[in-house]
Amino acid sequence: MAIGLALGGGAGLGWAHIGVVRVLEAEGVPIDVVAGTSIGAIVGACIAADIVDELEDVAREISLRDMLSMGEFGFSKGSLLGAGKIEQRLRGHFGHQTIEQLAKPFAAVAADLYSGEKVVLDEGDVVTALRASSAIPGMLPPIQTARLLLVDGGVADPIPVQAARDLGADKIIAVDLQGDYPGRSRRLGFDPNGDKPALAAMKSARAGWSLALRALSQANLRSDRPDVLISPRIGHIDMADFTKADELIALGKKAAYDMLTEIESMLARD
């Protein structure tokens, strides 16, 4: 029985995936194949390459200064930021490995701006696949090929259950980083039990974008249900903040332990 891990997108919230993986490791739950979207693809590639320890060290040490140093501000190539420094960092970990060379089957999910379809990247250069899967539209430059214009897979398939299934998984554990919309809404000031919010355009836009991501995630999960769904309570943390690894890893562990009975039941079923 092959166990697949489907890791959802969520920018800086993705460090919670590390906590989930640590629990699976501690409990002896095998991870045979991995599919990921956006930050889930980056974490998933590290699992497939067996460099999660390296990733956790980076996540726990990253600072606001590090985040700012990665930015290449300026309108170019259809985005607010460049991706040269991001690619350099990824190359430092993966070099020029191909997906076929990774220790475990892996797929990254992106979306094609030409066709509007999701694109599953399960072969070729690892870093190019990760860049495509995490290229937030308007924020980071898309990856262009002869026939595709690839951006962040979260706009088409936030939690890639089907991609994990297509890699050969018989049972799938999915991790949803978008499930705690109420926590996110309260963080933005939209609390029915609090003071009437001061309606700011950016806060309203962010709440709407978060709601849309959750709705898309839920729709996809209804059409292709994983065997176990882990949804950490992390809405109170800003998706754009990559400096909260300690808290996010702990919350990822808690969410995984909360679902341990369901995971054990899944493993017991034929």
Side-chain angles (χ1 to χ4, degrees), residues 9-29:
L13 302 180
W15 302 144
H17 288 317
I18 298 173
V20 173
V21 171
R22 291 311 192 193
V23 170
L24 298 180
E25 290 174 342
E27 297 297 325
V29 180

Side-chain angles (χ1 to χ4, degrees), residues 44-162:
C46 290
I47 296 169
D50 196 23
I51 56 170
V52 177
D53 289 349
E54 192 174 313
L55 175 68
E56 183 171 348
D57 288 343
V58 170
R60 289 188 184 276
E61 292 172 2
I62 197 167
S63 65
L64 178 59
R65 182 176 181 178
D66 294 326
M67 287 176 57
L68 293 174
S69 71
M70 294 295 289
E72 297 172 57
F73 298 98
F75 293 91
S76 64
K77 299 182 180 180
S79 62
L80 292 174
L81 301 175
K85 292 182 180 179
I86 293 172
E87 174 152 354
Q88 288 176 11
R89 179 67 67 90
L90 290 171
R91 291 285 177 203
H93 296 291
F94 293 101
H96 290 275
Q97 283 188 88
T98 64
I99 292 174
E100 296 92 327
Q101 292 172 323
L102 297 176
K104 300 177 188 293
F106 167 74
V109 173
D112 177 27
L113 288 184
Y114 292 149
S115 67
E117 300 294 327
K118 77 173 180 181
V119 176
V120 178
L121 304 167
D122 57 5
E123 59 183 17
D125 182 60
V126 173
V127 171
T128 300
L130 299 185
R131 285 248 347 257
S133 183
S134 59
I136 301 170
M139 187 64 66
L140 291 169
I143 296 294
Q144 189 162 17
T145 71
R147 297 187 178 182
L148 302 171
L149 187 62
L150 299 175
V151 296
D152 194 307
V155 301
D157 190 4
I159 309 170
V161 174
Q162 185 61 52

Side-chain angles (χ1 to χ4, degrees), residues 110-220:
D112 177 27
L113 288 184
Y114 292 149
S115 67
E117 300 294 327
K118 77 173 180 181
V119 176
V120 178
L121 304 167
D122 57 5
E123 59 183 17
D125 182 60
V126 173
V127 171
T128 300
L130 299 185
R131 285 248 347 257
S133 183
S134 59
I136 301 170
M139 187 64 66
L140 291 169
I143 296 294
Q144 189 162 17
T145 71
R147 297 187 178 182
L148 302 171
L149 187 62
L150 299 175
V151 296
D152 194 307
V155 301
D157 190 4
I159 309 170
V161 174
Q162 185 61 52
R165 204 179 304 283
D166 291 342
L167 286 174
D170 300 301
K171 303 290 183 181
I172 295 175
I173 301 169
V175 185
D176 179 10
L177 302 181
Q178 306 295 336
D180 187 19
Y181 175 77
R184 189 162 300 153
S185 177
R186 288 192 297 272
R187 180 177 56 78
L188 291 170
F190 300 104
D191 185 352
N193 299 314
D195 296 332
K196 187 175 180 179
L199 294 179
M202 187 58 70
K203 285 187 176 181
S204 297
R206 293 180 70 185
W209 176 245
S210 296
L211 187 55
L213 283 175
R214 188 187 71 159
L216 179 57
S217 297
Q218 290 178 335
N220 286 6

